[in-house]
Amino acid sequence: MNDFAKRVQEQEKALENIRHKLALLPDQPGCYLMKNGEGTIIYVGKAKVLKNRVRSYFTGSHNGKTQLMVSEIRDFEYIVTGSNMEALILECNLIKTHQPRFNVLLKDDKTYPYIKITNEEHPRLEVTRRVLKDKAKYFGPYPNASAAQQTKKLLDRMYPLRKCGVMPKEVCLYYHIGQCLAPCVKEVPREDYEQITSEIQSFLSGGHEEIRKELERKMHEAAEELYFERAKELRDQIMHIDALMEKQKITTTDKKDRDVFGYAVDKGWMCVQILYMRQGKMVQRNASVFPFYGDPHSDFLSFVAQYYSSNPALPQEILLPGPQLSGAAAADADSEEAGEAAAKPPAGADVATTEPTVLTDSAEPTAAEAKAEAAAEAAGLVDAAGGAEALQEWLGIKVLVPRRGLKRQMVGMASDNAKVSLDEKFRLIERDEERTSIAAANLGEIIGLESLHRIEAFDNSNIQGSNPVSAMVVFTDGKPDKKEYRKYKIRSVSGPDDYETMREVIRRRYERVLKENLPLPDLIVVDGGRGQISAAVDVLENELGLFIPVCGLVKDAKHRTAQLMVGDPPEPVALPRDSQEFYLLQRIQDEVHRFAISFHREQRGKSMVSSKLDAIPGIGEKRRKMLLKHFGSVKKIKEASVEDFRPLSIGEKLANDILKALREES
């Protein structure tokens, strides 16, 4: 038995094992752990109903990234929990422990300053960027380190907590100027510290206005009495308060501390935007951009859970968005919102550069909000309220998914900014035409070609060998030429044999090129390494008599473009990852992969619809098409009554057979 046959046999055995385990899944909440052929955990997820969620990975169609993950699954385990909250906590802990490569992993590449009152016998004030679970009190985050340091300096002057890190043996200057209680030589009652800590907490939690007014009064008194140095010192303190509590662009009518979340997804990437609202004003925001592989809203909730598991500085309230809509529902909602553009900040507006905006509550949802909410319910999207409830129970603070009014506007603003950040990422990737053309010419020189005008790239797609397809994209002078794209259904290959699939597609493509006298490419790009290159070259030279350069694009363990291979025998070509030439290859590989995946998903969806109806006795191709045309989808057929079939001349017996078969399958 050769290696390929052995691999196929192992895959079939793994799939059979998965099918048996799927039948035993319980109707309970819990976590599931997906494993690859080596037993490594590659994805951890949570579910309100394990049976439904885990089965969904092995039925229906998925986007390209999820499909990639599913193609690697060879086994799974699950852990039943008592509630959604337990599942959320367990998922967070499992992700931290195993670091699965397909999970959203929280990486804090940017931190903000916090003011900290230490939990010590003799507490002191600190400015820190590390929030620890040490029972200290944290306040923040703040707009910048300078404002936080100046605020600490102001508080040090106003409240006599100790300033030294190590207790000295005698009193220091701070005691003599009234800024320290000298715990090094005197016994300080615990009540005094509690009162000072309470006053500082009140100051940082909104009482600064009263302090500011008092300082302003003293400043004017000092100026009138010609104590200008004292007046200047008081003025500086007022300026420091203003720096901390500087007027923000977005304000609310209450004074609560909130973290407002929003997210956007596109091309397999997610951006999560956090707006930090402190005392009713937005003091900071943070954007995280990362690839995701599972359900967008579930992965978003995983991000939030990880964020707070390592950040004990909790606000008073957390606002979360609901699941995002897609397709026609999203388009309808967008069209409704277009008419409201004058009444609220434009979608995608950068909140840091808009004029000050006061958000006011409204009693009723807008038409767009109502439509989006109804569409979300109809689509059976992820249980957003259940996720928020689990977070609330875990963190012990209010967590809301607002549907209307002021809080809905705040979440919408966060989501709009997430979309802006994501669009910026793709705009930075999309280079201008001149640089792209130069990159194509330079790539030709690197490979050793006199010109590189036309590139044809190929990629194959299947899941465990089912519905195998291939696709070709064309780049002319470094730019995609979509009218030249082609799709191929694989005819002669059974099972996941990438080499034979490549042979078939290359043969079919260039036989047609020769027959119809179509333009030949300057370079053929295949997705893969030496094996795929050799398969393509063998067909071109030995079967068709064509001598066209072929190169391969090899991906790394994270499915990203890693290196270019050219020559006979193929050898890696060193290209800097930040070069225009490497980026061009990356775009080609991403585009052909996207095109192949979308075609595969389309074919798989069609085959699933066909199999459901074709398996019913008395339903042939003609009746299947008639049913789908009349009802619109298999789901609508399943929800129909016997009477609904009469206009199609389908009798009661056959109608009952159809409904019974579809409902039993679901």
Side-chain angles (χ1 to χ4, degrees):
M1 182 182 293
N2 59 35
D3 290 341
F4 171 71
K6 189 176 180 181
R7 286 199 305 272
V8 171
Q9 190 177 47
E10 289 173 353
Q11 289 175 0
E12 289 176 351
K13 186 177 179 181
L15 286 172
E16 185 66 24
N17 180 49
I18 286 173
R19 278 193 289 270
H20 289 312
K21 294 180 78 170
L22 287 174
L24 302 175
L25 284 164
D27 292 317
Q28 292 174 266
C31 289
Y32 52 91
L33 301 87
M34 301 299 193
K35 297 181 178 182
N36 63 13
E38 298 171 357
T40 304
I41 295 170
I42 59 174
Y43 187 76
V44 171
K46 62 183 176 301
K48 189 175 182 181
V49 180
L50 279 167
K51 181 172 72 174
N52 296 345
R53 185 72 186 113
V54 178
R55 281 181 175 177
S56 70
Y57 286 99
F58 304 97
T59 59
S61 59
H62 305 286
N63 61 36
K65 285 179 173 285
T66 305
Q67 192 168 326
L68 167 66
M69 179 189 75
V70 173
S71 70
E72 294 192 22
I73 297 173
R74 295 293 178 271
D75 194 10
F76 69 86
E77 293 180 6
Y78 60 89
I79 303 170
V80 175
T81 60
S83 66
N84 277 354
M85 184 198 74
E86 290 179 13
L88 185 74
I89 299 171
L90 178 59
E91 180 198 38
C92 186
N93 292 334
L94 289 171
I95 290 172
K96 283 186 174 182
T97 302
H98 299 290
Q99 297 281 297
R101 70 186 184 94
F102 287 113
N103 272 101
V104 169
L105 302 174
L106 178 60
K107 297 175 182 176
D108 290 322
D109 56 350
K110 185 177 182 182
T111 56
Y112 296 105
Y114 289 78
I115 291 177
K116 172 182 179 180
I117 304 176
T118 62
N119 179 38
E120 300 174 274
E121 184 181 355
H122 305 292
R124 57 198 174 95
L125 286 169
E126 291 180 348
V127 173
T128 181
R129 291 180 182 269
R130 297 181 62 205
V131 181
L132 307 173
K133 294 183 179 180
D134 54 3
K135 297 185 179 179
K137 291 182 173 66
Y138 292 87
F139 303 90
Y142 293 112
N144 53 66
S146 174
Q149 289 287 359
Q150 292 298 327
T151 303
K152 176 185 176 295
K153 189 176 179 180
L154 170 63
L155 294 171
D156 281 338
R157 290 173 181 170
M158 294 168 59
Y159 301 103
L161 293 179
R162 73 181 177 98
K163 310 295 186 290
C164 49
V166 179
M167 203 82 77
K169 295 182 180 178
E170 56 185 29
V171 295
C172 59
L173 179 63
Y174 288 113
Y175 172 73
H176 293 295
I177 62 177
Q179 294 183 18
C180 182
L181 296 174
C184 51
V185 296
K186 295 169 62 177
E187 186 70 30
V188 181
R190 187 68 187 168
E191 293 77 15
D192 290 359
Y193 282 133
E194 288 175 356
Q195 181 180 349
I196 292 172
T197 300
S198 176
E199 289 181 12
I200 293 174
Q201 188 168 346
S202 174
F203 174 86
L204 295 175
S205 300
H208 60 280
E209 290 291 348
E210 293 300 320
I211 299 290
R212 189 188 186 284
K213 287 177 183 177
E214 181 64 17
L215 291 175
E216 201 168 33
R217 185 186 63 78
K218 290 180 179 179
M219 180 185 71
H220 290 310
E221 285 181 359
E224 288 173 3
E225 296 173 8
L226 305 183
Y227 293 136
F228 296 118
E229 288 188 8
R230 175 62 176 161
K232 180 180 180 299
E233 182 180 341
L234 291 166
R235 184 203 66 186
D236 290 344
Q237 290 184 6
I238 293 170
M239 290 174 64
H240 296 155
I241 292 176
D242 290 341
L244 173 67
M245 306 298 178
E246 101 185 74
K247 190 171 185 181
Q248 298 299 323
K249 306 301 179 184
I250 304 300
T251 64
T252 59
T253 52
D254 62 14
K255 300 294 182 183
K256 277 191 176 181
D257 290 352
R258 291 186 178 91
D259 288 351
V260 183
F261 284 82
Y263 74 97
V265 294
D266 192 14
K267 300 180 179 72
W269 287 78
M270 178 183 294
C271 175
V272 176
Q273 182 96 201
I274 312 172
L275 304 182
Y276 299 103
M277 309 287 291
R278 297 297 180 263
Q279 300 308 305
K281 299 177 181 178
M282 196 192 83
V283 299
Q284 192 54 268
R285 59 183 180 153
N286 181 29
S288 298
V289 182
F290 44 82
F292 73 98
Y293 295 86
D295 174 80
H297 196 74
S298 291
D299 281 2
F300 163 72
L301 287 177
S302 293
F303 176 93
V304 177
Q306 291 179 63
Y307 176 81
Y308 286 112
S309 70
S310 57
N311 186 355
L314 296 173
Q316 294 169 280
E317 189 173 271
I318 298 170
L319 302 183
L320 302 178
Q324 292 197 346
L325 298 177
S326 60
D332 288 347
D334 288 344
S335 65
E336 292 282 355
E337 288 181 1
E340 302 170 14
K344 66 183 203 178
D350 191 328
V351 294
T353 58
T354 55
E355 288 301 308
T357 304
V358 179
L359 298 177
T360 56
D361 223 338
S362 62
E364 295 299 326
T366 65
E369 289 168 354
K371 181 171 283 190
E373 194 170 345
E377 291 176 3
L381 294 170
V382 174
D383 181 12
E389 185 180 342
L391 275 170
Q392 178 170 298
E393 189 178 350
W394 178 28
L395 300 175
I397 59 174
K398 189 175 287 187
V399 182
L400 303 173
V401 182
R403 296 296 185 191
R404 56 186 64 85
L406 165 111
K407 294 176 181 178
R408 175 68 181 84
Q409 291 178 51
M410 293 161 68
V411 169
M413 186 169 292
S415 295
D416 287 344
N417 277 272
K419 188 175 187 306
V420 169
S421 296
L422 207 54
D423 289 344
E424 283 178 359
K425 172 184 173 62
F426 296 127
R427 280 202 304 271
L428 288 172
I429 293 174
E430 294 294 337
R431 311 301 175 108
D432 59 82
E433 292 186 5
E434 182 182 355
R435 294 172 80 179
T436 302
S437 298
I438 292 171
N442 291 343
L443 183 62
E445 289 182 14
I446 293 168
I447 296 174
L449 302 176
E450 292 183 5
S451 67
L452 188 54
H453 170 66
R454 181 185 177 94
I455 300 172
E456 295 186 357
F458 296 84
D459 190 17
N460 306 324
S461 179
N462 67 79
I463 291 183
Q464 315 299 341
S466 68
N467 301 102
V469 299
S470 190
M472 180 196 78
V473 301
V474 176
F475 275 62
T476 304
D477 293 327
K479 297 179 286 293
D481 191 355
K482 295 194 175 183
K483 68 179 183 297
E484 296 282 335
Y485 286 14
R486 296 293 181 269
K487 304 171 182 177
Y488 299 90
K489 291 182 184 178
I490 303 306
R491 301 168 180 165
S492 62
V493 181
S494 60
D497 189 337
D498 206 36
Y499 300 154
E500 287 303 316
T501 301
M502 186 63 68
R503 286 174 180 275
E504 178 184 326
V505 173
I506 293 292
R507 184 182 299 113
R508 287 168 58 187
R509 167 62 184 168
Y510 294 105
E511 279 180 347
R512 181 164 186 173
V513 166
L514 292 173
K515 182 179 179 181
E516 299 182 9
N517 199 26
L518 300 174
L520 288 168
D522 300 304
L523 178 69
I524 295 172
V525 177
V526 297
D527 185 71
R530 291 184 176 89
Q532 285 83 355
I533 294 173
S534 298
V537 169
D538 181 41
V539 172
L540 288 167
E541 295 183 0
N542 298 328
E543 295 185 27
L544 305 175
L546 294 173
F547 294 87
I548 304 170
V550 180
C551 71
L553 294 178
V554 183
K555 295 177 181 176
D556 59 17
K558 295 185 178 179
H559 212 67
R560 296 177 301 197
T561 305
Q563 64 180 5
L564 169 68
M565 300 194 74
V566 181
D568 186 17
E571 295 295 337
V573 176
L575 279 178
R577 281 181 172 264
D578 58 351
S579 66
Q580 290 289 320
E581 294 74 30
F582 187 85
Y583 168 68
L584 174 59
L585 292 173
Q586 198 172 43
R587 273 193 72 197
I588 291 171
Q589 189 168 41
D590 288 347
E591 178 66 1
V592 69
H593 183 67
R594 178 201 66 78
F595 191 50
I597 286 292
S598 63
F599 181 44
H600 178 265
R601 190 160 59 239
E602 175 189 323
Q603 293 303 308
R604 192 158 181 241
K606 286 181 179 177
S607 69
M608 287 181 63
V609 169
S610 299
S611 63
K612 286 179 180 179
L613 293 173
D614 290 345
I616 302 170
I619 300 295
E621 184 179 355
K622 186 176 179 181
R623 264 188 174 152
R624 173 169 58 81
K625 289 180 179 179
M626 184 173 62
L627 284 165
L628 290 173
K629 183 178 180 181
H630 180 77
F631 290 101
S633 68
V634 174
K635 184 182 177 184
K636 293 285 180 64
I637 299 173
K638 185 173 62 178
E639 294 170 351
S641 66
V642 173
E643 296 297 321
D644 295 331
F645 290 86
R646 295 198 184 280
L648 302 177
S649 300
I650 293 178
E652 184 177 339
K653 184 179 183 304
L654 181 55
N656 280 320
D657 290 345
I658 294 170
L659 294 174
K660 183 180 178 183
L662 293 178
R663 289 168 183 172
E664 281 181 353
E665 183 172 348
S666 65

